[in-house]
Every structure is written in structure tokens, then in C-alpha cells.
Amino acid sequence: MKEKFPKTRAFVWTGKALKLLDQRLLPHKTVWRVCRTWQDVTRDIRDMVVRGAPAIGCTAAYGVVLAERKKMLPKAFEGLLKARPTAVNLRWALDRMRRVWEQGGNLEREAIAIEKEDREANRRMGQWGAELVGSNATLLTHCNTGSLATAGLGTAFGVLWTAFQQGKVKKVLATETRPYLQGARLTAWELKNERIPFELITDSMAAHFMKTESIDGVFVGADRIAANGDSANKIGTYSLAVLAAHHHIPFYIVAPMSTVDLSTPGGQDIPIEERSMDEVTTFRGQRLAPQGIKARHPAFDVTPAVLISAIITERGVARRPFVTSLHSAAARLSEAVPL
Amino acid sequence: MKEKFPKTRAFVWTGKALKLLDQRLLPHKTVWRVCRTWQDVTRDIRDMVVRGAPAIGCTAAYGVVLAERKKMLPKAFEGLLKARPTAVNLRWALDRMRRVWEQGGNLEREAIAIEKEDREANRRMGQWGAELVGSNATLLTHCNTGSLATAGLGTAFGVLWTAFQQGKVKKVLATETRPYLQGARLTAWELKNERIPFELITDSMAAHFMKTESIDGVFVGADRIAANGDSANKIGTYSLAVLAAHHHIPFYIVAPMSTVDLSTPGGQDIPIEERSMDEVTTFRGQRLAPQGIKARHPAFDVTPAVLISAIITERGVARRPFVTSLHSAAARLSEAVPL
């Protein structure tokens, strides 16, 4: 029997070019962009044509393949690395490609391996995470962590999806995720496509529903997990973690080992990208706020380890103290054994 | 010396009609609508041409004046009361108008008195609240509580404004307040007009800035305060109260006594209006989310008294236990003496 699997793809490597689904236009339009150079890939990562930490890692790897063909290495490593600062998967993928390049290895084969491994990691995370979900569960998620953010099922979304396939999900509450509306535009689209029952809420409603409805767990992704477990993720994640703790709701981070950065000791060491304030004050060219005002736009925040119930990677479910469990997971072969 | 005062007005009684500044179009357009009947007023309250609990009370009172002239009393009392369910100022103003009507009093004079008293209450709340603000303060506010929401300075906004006039405000963080964007559209407009330094943030950023910047206090309004101090206010308020408690930041409710409803024992007894999901999934006719999905839109939430540092009314600063301090304030003559 063929395994059921979501059909959505964020990127497709054709052997000659990297096709990216333009996520800025979803869910209104389905437009594929074709990147033929590493500069195209860099620009599209920076401009959020493609986003989501694992997807950024995969697409950067293909960017390296394109750069090699135009003899633009090692320069392209630097350019790609600068595209976005917070998601460590970008650096992780580039480091891996650089090692293969330095050893004269096959870069295209390595990029394809990175993509394939991410897809398999998604599947495993989905299984580990779904074990934490009881029956008839209402689960809350933030931002987009599905097929649009990864090479496969997704991270947190993969857990929701797997638990739903197992018949355990009553409904999902999806936060719209201001300012970029990844929840309203992308997660709602994926949940709808997968026929998972869900309700879209504003970020500001999460606390209200934690109090007035029974929410069984919060599952979110991560852009960088420090050695001590502090986790950077989409702005609003830290807020949800504090609210979940207040309401005694388990709060789970779901991310592959490529998101774990043991060289970053703690959350204070993670660079937080500040994006344009226009992304807060406008929507598709229409202003939401008066002209000439100041807005803030940190794209990520850091959730301290103490607020995280567990970190789910493809190698199992890491519990506190994360400094031990994450090191142990990193040292282990990639077999799916519980930590 | 003439006292400094914001020039913005949400509504103007002409003696023959009630003019309402259409807040749905702000800050893009300044359009005044003219209500000549109580039905006009009811519709405009329901459709949020005018909003903000005290402003709703004042405009409903003028609606009664218009109804009397067309011999539509007592029917209009019922129609106006149904316009919006949560803000108790609406019921409070209608009850007051009904008593005057039953006694054969002058309704127009009473409506003007309600407006004038609200303006004076704003001034006093501003003074009481500003006493709680130290020097060089960074203050956070939610939704819109300024001249657009009241007959005068505003409630929470009046505190920010008064503290700013006293030279104590370094800056204000204003949440955009999804889904209706009262913060981005209205509060940002009022703060800009009053030249108060501020930064607009998404609701999801509040926790991040509570952690990474020094925030000295959160000031918000209320739509109904129960006898025990539980307070209904714009959706997202409860979230901010939990986050403020977690970060040891004082959390203040600012509202006139007309918002205090001693006949409602606690928060569980306050009706929460659910508005159209279109207000979550669209912005000015543009869709933010896929077609055919379900979204939720509770317009208010309830903050339990335990998370509220103090309730600032025109009669002073009420502290816990609110069941005592609010009853005592209600019993007292309206002199501005501390509770």
C-alpha cells in the first residue's frame, strides 16, 4: 500500500534549475518561480518566496549546486549565508555542501540527500510527536511548519498531520501569525488541503481559547535551537509558550537536528532578524496604519528552555535538561530510538 | 491659560442630528456620517462606525433623543440596547435616559450631561493614572481608548496622554489589535496627532518586548467590569494580562464608573460578542486566508481580577479586593478622592 502523503511542495529541483512556489502569493495564486543562479536563490530566500528553516536549508543547498556550475564557489557560500540570519539550517546546509565541495564530491547528489533526509526526518518527527497526542485532541499551532516549510510533511505540522491520520485530532487552532500571516495564508491552506478540521484565530485569541476551550497541546517549529534548549522561532512563539505554561498546556518544539545548533550556547546568542516595518504597516500595498509612524518587526523571538515541555527531533523526544538530551541526540547515529 | 486638550472628536451632537466620525475608514479617510434617527445610531454602533464603550454610551443617549422626537420611545430603548452586547456603558446610558423619560425630564439635556460627565471622568482618570507612572516610562497599550472611544481624553489613552504632558513618557508601545486593527488604525493616528513617541507592534510581539525592553506598565480600557473586578475588554487583553504578570509588569484597567457593572458578579457572567469571521479572514475586501475555512472572532475576552494590579476610575485607584473597593467607589459621591 502506498503511504499517504501531502502533495504540496515548496520547491522542486529539476536537475537544471530550482523551482520555488511563490509563498508570498499564496493562497490566492499558485505561481512557480524558476531560479537558475545562486543569486536568484539568495534573493528568493531573502524575500520570503520560500521560508521555513528546513526549506531554506534545502534550497540553499541547491543554490550551491547552481553556483558551482557557474564557477561561483566559494563566493556563493557567503552570499547565500547572508540571505537570512536566524534559521541555522541555512548555515548547516551550506557547511555540509562546503565540506563536500572541498573534498571534490558530487554537490548535486549531496543537495538531493539533504532534501531526502529532511523528508525522512519529517516523517519520524511526525511519528514521535503523534505519540504525545491523546485521543480527541485539540491542538494549537503557530506560523507555518508544513510542506511549505520543509521538504516533506513538515515539522509541527507533520505531528498534527500524523496524529490526524491516526484519528486522534478533534481540531486544530491555527494562529494567523502576524505580521506575515503565514498561519492565515499558508497553514490554513495546507490544513484545508489535507481536510484536517481547524479554526483560524488571531494571535491575540490564543490565551482566550486556552482558558475557555480545552487545548491539549501547542506544537510549533523552530528556526534555531541553542545547546541549552532555548529556541528561536517565529515572532509570537514566546508569547504562546508563556500562555501555555500559565494554562498548564504542554508546549512542544518540533524541529530536525539540522535546527539544533550546539555551537550557540543559549537564546541570548541567537541573532534575531529585524525585517522591514512595512510588513507590519501595510498589506498588499494597502496601508494598515498612518503614514510616517514607527513600527517594529522582529521576525523571531526566543522561548527559554524552561517553558518547553519537550523538543521533538527525528531522533526522538528530548526532555529537560536539554543540554544533556540534545548533545546525546547529536552524538547518536540517526536511528529512531527514544532519547 | 486654556487647558491643553486633544482635538479629535468621535461624535458631535448638533442639536438636530448626531454626527459620527466613521472610524472604519480611519486613518485613510475622514468621513462624517449624519444620524437623524435612532435606527441610524443603532446601525452605526453595530457596524462599528463608532466604538469604544464610553462613546457607545454617549451616542446611544443621543439616539434616545432622536427617538423621542419621532415618538419611538420606549421601542428605541430595546433596539439600541441590542446593538452590541458586551459594553455595559450602552445599557447604563439607556437606563439613565429611560429614568429621565419616565419622569418626563429633558432628554437632550440628559444626553449632553452624560457626554460632559464622560469628558470630566476622562480628565480625572488621566490624573489618577498618571500618578502611577514614574519618570522616563515605557508604557504598553492595547486597542483604542482615546478620544475616538470616549467623549474626551480617553480612558487608558488619557493616562498615557496626561503622563506624557507631565514629561514622564519615554515611549508608548501600541499593539495593532487584530482583527479590527484599532491600534494600528486609530491609536497610532491619535498618538501621531498628539506627538507622543510610540512604536506600533503586532499583538504577538508584546511578550518579546516585555522580555527584551523595560516596560513599566500596561494600561488598557474595559467594556464591562464585574463586581469582583473581572474585566471584559478587547480580545487580546487577557493575553497581555497573563504576559504582564509573567514579566512582573503592573497591569492597569482604566474605565469610568459607567463601565463598572455591580449587577454582574464575575467574568463568567459577561456576554462575549462573537462577530463575523470575515473580520478575521479579510481586510478591506481582500482575503487574508483561503475561501471556505472557519475562523473564530470573539470580540472580547475576560481578564480575571487576580491579574489586574488596579482599576482606575474617575473616583480614584481601586485596588484588590475589588469587590470592596468598587462597591465603595460606587457608593461614594463623585468627588475625586482616593479610594
Side-chain angles (χ1 to χ4, degrees):
Chain A
M1 191 181 89
K2 198 167 178 302
E3 195 173 19
K4 198 177 168 188
F5 208 76
K7 289 193 197 76
T8 302
R9 301 287 298 274
F11 57 92
V12 173
W13 173 249
T14 67
K16 290 182 179 170
L18 181 66
K19 289 169 61 183
L20 297 177
L21 180 56
D22 192 340
Q23 300 191 28
R24 301 169 304 180
L25 305 177
L26 288 175
H28 309 269
K29 291 182 192 166
T30 306
V31 175
W32 287 85
R33 288 165 67 91
V34 181
C35 297
R36 301 183 195 282
T37 67
W38 71 270
Q39 291 95 335
D40 290 347
V41 177
T42 304
R43 182 201 58 221
D44 281 0
I45 291 173
R46 187 192 62 221
D47 295 347
M48 294 177 70
V49 171
V50 61
R51 25 65 52 203
I56 289 173
C58 293
T59 50
Y62 287 117
V64 171
V65 177
L66 293 170
E68 187 201 25
R69 293 178 182 177
K70 304 228 167 148
K71 311 217 182 301
M72 296 290 281
L73 293 181
K75 188 184 171 195
F77 286 118
E78 281 171 50
L80 280 159
L81 185 60
K82 285 183 193 151
R84 293 195 71 190
T86 303
V88 79
N89 308 60
L90 177 62
R91 195 187 73 202
W92 170 87
L94 292 172
D95 284 351
R96 190 165 152 176
M97 295 297 285
R98 184 191 279 270
R99 281 195 300 275
V100 172
W101 177 66
E102 286 168 353
Q103 293 161 11
N106 183 323
L107 287 176
E108 184 179 19
R109 189 181 301 162
E110 190 68 9
I112 292 170
I114 286 173
E115 178 182 348
K116 196 177 157 197
E117 288 168 28
D118 189 58
R119 193 173 297 122
E120 174 62 15
N122 287 181
R123 203 183 57 76
R124 293 191 183 197
M125 284 185 281
Q127 291 174 338
W128 289 119
E131 289 187 14
L132 300 173
V133 177
S135 62
N136 201 33
T138 297
L139 306 175
L140 189 146
T141 192
H142 187 56
C143 197
N144 173 265
T145 60
S147 299
L148 293 169
T150 63
L153 279 179
T155 55
F157 190 94
V159 173
L160 307 178
W161 188 88
T162 307
F164 176 70
Q165 303 305 325
Q166 295 173 358
K168 295 196 287 195
V169 176
K170 181 181 163 196
K171 75 173 173 188
V172 171
L173 291 178
T175 57
E176 65 176 2
T177 316
R178 283 283 295 153
Y180 219 69
L181 296 168
Q182 289 95 335
R185 297 191 299 108
L186 309 179
T187 301
W189 188 70
E190 292 200 52
L191 286 164
K192 184 186 172 193
N193 291 347
E194 297 300 321
R195 300 174 188 277
I196 300 173
F198 76 99
E199 292 169 356
L200 179 67
I201 64 172
T202 65
D203 305 300
S204 60
M205 292 173 193
H208 173 71
F209 288 119
M210 286 181 182
K211 188 174 69 168
T212 59
E213 303 196 357
S214 171
I215 295 182
D216 302 291
V218 177
F219 288 88
V220 299
D223 289 80
R224 185 182 306 206
I225 300 171
N228 69 351
D230 292 352
S231 298
N233 190 46
K234 183 52 51 196
I235 186 72
T237 303
Y238 169 57
S239 180
L240 292 174
V242 172
L243 298 172
H246 182 83
H247 295 89
H248 310 291
I249 297 169
F251 182 88
Y252 300 112
I253 297 277
V254 190
M257 289 304 296
S258 56
T259 302
V260 177
D261 179 17
L262 297 180
S263 72
T264 295
Q268 71 284 357
D269 307 303
I270 302 177
I272 298 296
E273 178 182 11
E274 283 255 359
R275 292 184 66 86
S276 164
M277 69 170 78
D278 292 346
E279 293 177 357
V280 172
T281 57
T282 64
F283 175 73
R284 295 222 173 93
Q286 287 208 56
R287 289 200 66 83
L288 309 178
Q291 295 274 4
I293 66 157
K294 183 175 180 191
R296 298 291 296 274
H297 187 188
F300 303 93
D301 58 26
V302 174
T303 299
V306 69
L307 295 175
I308 300 170
S309 308
I311 297 174
I312 300 158
T313 76
E314 68 272 36
R315 299 196 188 168
V317 178
R319 299 275 182 181
R320 282 196 298 267
F322 295 116
V323 73
T324 310
S325 58
L326 291 176
H327 267 92
S328 151
R332 199 173 323 123
L333 290 174
S334 65
E335 290 165 51
V337 288
L339 295 187
Chain B
M1 192 180 89
K2 199 167 177 299
E3 195 174 18
K4 200 178 167 188
F5 207 76
K7 288 192 197 79
T8 303
R9 301 286 298 275
F11 57 92
V12 174
W13 173 248
T14 67
K16 288 183 179 169
L18 181 65
K19 289 170 62 184
L20 297 177
L21 180 56
D22 192 340
Q23 300 191 28
R24 301 169 304 180
L25 306 177
L26 287 176
H28 310 269
K29 291 181 192 165
T30 306
V31 175
W32 286 87
R33 288 165 67 92
V34 180
C35 297
R36 300 184 196 282
T37 67
W38 71 270
Q39 292 96 334
D40 291 346
V41 176
T42 303
R43 183 200 58 222
D44 281 0
I45 291 173
R46 187 191 63 221
D47 295 347
M48 294 177 69
V49 171
V50 62
R51 24 67 50 204
I56 289 173
C58 293
T59 51
Y62 286 117
V64 171
V65 177
L66 293 170
E68 186 201 27
R69 293 179 184 177
K70 303 227 169 150
K71 310 217 183 302
M72 295 290 282
L73 294 180
K75 188 184 172 197
F77 287 118
E78 281 172 48
L80 281 159
L81 185 61
K82 285 182 191 151
R84 295 195 70 190
T86 303
V88 78
N89 308 60
L90 177 62
R91 194 186 74 202
W92 170 87
L94 292 172
D95 284 352
R96 190 165 152 177
M97 294 298 284
R98 184 190 281 270
R99 280 196 300 275
V100 172
W101 176 65
E102 286 169 353
Q103 292 160 12
N106 183 324
L107 287 176
E108 183 179 19
R109 189 182 300 163
E110 191 69 8
I112 292 169
I114 286 173
E115 178 183 348
K116 195 176 157 197
E117 288 168 27
D118 189 57
R119 192 172 298 122
E120 174 62 15
N122 287 182
R123 203 183 58 76
R124 292 191 183 197
M125 286 186 278
Q127 290 174 338
W128 291 118
E131 289 186 13
L132 300 172
V133 177
S135 62
N136 201 34
T138 297
L139 305 175
L140 190 147
T141 192
H142 187 57
C143 197
N144 174 266
T145 60
S147 298
L148 293 168
T150 63
L153 280 179
T155 55
F157 190 95
V159 173
L160 307 179
W161 188 88
T162 306
F164 175 70
Q165 303 305 326
Q166 295 172 358
K168 295 197 285 194
V169 176
K170 181 181 162 197
K171 74 172 173 188
V172 171
L173 290 178
T175 57
E176 65 176 3
T177 316
R178 284 283 294 153
Y180 220 68
L181 296 168
Q182 290 94 336
R185 297 191 299 107
L186 309 179
T187 300
W189 188 70
E190 292 200 55
L191 286 164
K192 184 185 173 192
N193 291 347
E194 297 300 321
R195 300 174 187 278
I196 300 173
F198 76 100
E199 293 169 355
L200 179 66
I201 64 173
T202 65
D203 305 299
S204 60
M205 293 174 193
H208 173 71
F209 287 119
M210 285 181 182
K211 189 173 68 167
T212 58
E213 303 197 357
S214 171
I215 295 181
D216 301 291
V218 177
F219 288 88
V220 299
D223 289 79
R224 187 183 304 207
I225 299 171
N228 70 351
D230 293 352
S231 297
N233 190 45
K234 183 53 51 196
I235 186 72
T237 302
Y238 169 57
S239 181
L240 292 173
V242 172
L243 298 172
H246 182 83
H247 294 89
H248 309 291
I249 297 169
F251 182 88
Y252 300 112
I253 297 277
V254 190
M257 290 303 297
S258 55
T259 303
V260 176
D261 179 17
L262 296 179
S263 72
T264 296
Q268 70 284 356
D269 308 302
I270 302 177
I272 297 295
E273 177 182 12
E274 284 254 0
R275 292 185 66 87
S276 163
M277 68 170 79
D278 292 345
E279 292 177 356
V280 172
T281 57
T282 64
F283 175 73
R284 294 223 174 92
Q286 288 207 57
R287 290 200 66 81
L288 310 179
Q291 294 274 5
I293 66 158
K294 183 173 180 193
R296 300 289 297 274
H297 187 188
F300 302 93
D301 57 26
V302 173
T303 299
V306 68
L307 295 175
I308 300 170
S309 308
I311 297 173
I312 300 157
T313 75
E314 68 273 35
R315 299 197 188 167
V317 178
R319 299 273 182 184
R320 283 196 299 267
F322 295 117
V323 74
T324 311
S325 58
L326 291 176
H327 267 92
S328 150
R332 200 171 323 119
L333 290 175
S334 65
E335 289 165 53
V337 287
L339 295 186

